[in-house]
Amino acid sequence: MEKRLDKDQKIKIINDNYKHPHTYVNCDVRYFNFDFLVDKLGYFDVILMDPPWRIKGGQQNDSGFMFSNSKFNLDYDTMSNQEIMNLRIEKISRKGFLFLWILSNQINTAYEMLNKWGYEVVDQIIWVKLKNNNVYLSHGYYLMHSFEMCLVGYKCPPGEYVEYNSKVSNNVLFGEVRKKSQKPDELYEIIDLMMPGAKKIEIFARNHNLRPGWFSLGNQLGEQYEKW
């Protein structure tokens, strides 16, 4: 008797068949040739981005400091909103989803970016930060923060369609805070469930993000950054 597979088992088989060892390019994405990438690899179905945001008020400063009222700083360079918006993200995907991690006070700008790149914001994912199973408090300008938000953008040319699985997850994630800037692994699992076998790219990736089935771009990738 033929064994029947449930939906999750079928998705796992599809993803396993399409997964290849992780591939990355260590680069400054501001100057990366996206046209060349598409010419060699084709368009991507899913884009994931976690930009090195610079807090409003410090937009003109080339600095790792995030706040004008705090000495809290990062171990990487930040980018202005204009630098992020100038990235030619629209070049690497004709249709599909873009997942964009944002800062709470940059939500309006993030909507503008997604629209410029051809995406409509269709949903959002909230990551509630935990530390030792307690809600974690992190730096904020006016209030302390305990969550991060990921906007979900979607685009599809008229007359075409994007094949994906809907309702595969809740839009609230509860996850432990780990390395600086490291986001919860559950988001990758959600993406794999939504679009099994899809071509996926992560921009502003770091070593702890590298995973099979993803093409990764970032300026802190490789063995020399292994301990970062």
Side-chain angles (χ1 to χ4, degrees):
M1 183 176 179
E2 183 181 356
K3 182 180 179 181
R4 297 180 63 110
L5 301 177
D6 62 27
K7 184 176 180 181
D8 289 344
Q9 289 174 314
K10 291 179 181 178
I11 290 174
K12 184 178 187 304
I13 290 173
I14 293 173
N15 282 321
D16 288 344
N17 288 338
Y18 279 85
K19 280 182 179 177
H20 303 285
H22 62 251
T23 305
Y24 70 85
V25 175
N26 188 64
C27 64
D28 187 330
V29 298
R30 293 174 297 177
Y31 310 111
F32 189 77
N33 189 335
F34 290 117
D35 290 317
F36 178 80
L37 179 66
V38 171
D39 183 58
K40 296 300 180 182
L41 299 180
Y43 292 108
F44 289 87
D45 306 306
V46 177
I47 303 171
L48 173 59
M49 298 177 63
D50 185 13
W53 296 95
R54 190 177 301 163
I55 292 295
K56 188 188 299 184
Q59 287 296 319
Q60 305 304 318
N61 301 321
D62 184 15
S63 169
F65 288 99
M66 291 193 71
F67 306 100
S68 60
N69 65 348
S70 170
K71 293 300 183 182
F72 176 78
N73 71 323
L74 302 166
D75 57 6
Y76 54 82
D77 293 330
T78 58
M79 290 173 61
S80 69
N81 290 348
Q82 193 60 53
E83 287 177 308
I84 299 170
M85 189 174 294
N86 287 344
L87 296 175
R88 302 175 70 190
I89 303 301
E90 68 277 3
K91 291 286 186 178
I92 59 178
S93 180
R94 289 187 63 253
K95 58 184 180 180
F97 291 92
L98 192 157
F99 295 81
L100 178 65
W101 287 105
I102 69 170
L103 300 177
S104 297
N105 67 345
Q106 301 287 17
I107 188 168
N108 292 333
T109 300
Y111 267 76
E112 292 178 20
M113 291 177 179
L114 283 160
N115 290 335
K116 176 182 179 293
W117 299 329
Y119 291 85
E120 175 189 3
V121 177
V122 295
D123 218 325
Q124 59 188 25
I125 296 173
I126 301 297
W127 168 33
V128 179
K129 297 180 175 182
L130 304 177
K131 194 69 172 178
N132 299 322
N133 291 322
N134 295 312
V135 175
Y136 179 73
L137 293 177
S138 61
H139 291 273
Y141 196 95
Y142 299 103
L143 300 172
M144 301 297 285
H145 293 168
S146 296
F147 75 88
E148 290 193 34
M149 181 186 302
C150 179
L151 295 181
V152 182
Y154 172 84
K155 71 175 178 180
C156 183
E160 299 186 31
Y161 71 95
V162 176
E163 187 173 347
Y164 65 94
N165 299 312
S166 62
K167 303 177 180 67
V168 297
S169 171
N170 196 336
N171 68 340
V172 179
L173 305 177
F174 293 86
E176 290 285 316
V177 174
R178 297 174 292 174
K179 294 180 180 179
K180 187 176 290 186
S181 298
Q182 187 172 6
K183 300 302 190 289
D185 294 337
E186 287 84 353
L187 180 60
Y188 298 95
E189 297 169 6
I190 290 173
I191 292 171
D192 281 341
L193 288 172
M194 286 185 66
M195 298 192 72
K199 292 177 64 175
K200 305 179 288 287
I201 183 171
E202 179 164 8
I203 302 175
F204 302 111
R206 302 179 79 175
N207 281 332
H208 53 62
N209 303 117
L210 299 179
R211 51 206 306 117
W214 286 79
F215 188 87
S216 303
L217 298 177
N219 68 348
Q220 293 184 357
L221 298 175
E223 294 181 1
Q224 67 270 35
Y225 299 105
E226 200 62 51
K227 297 182 179 179
W228 288 42

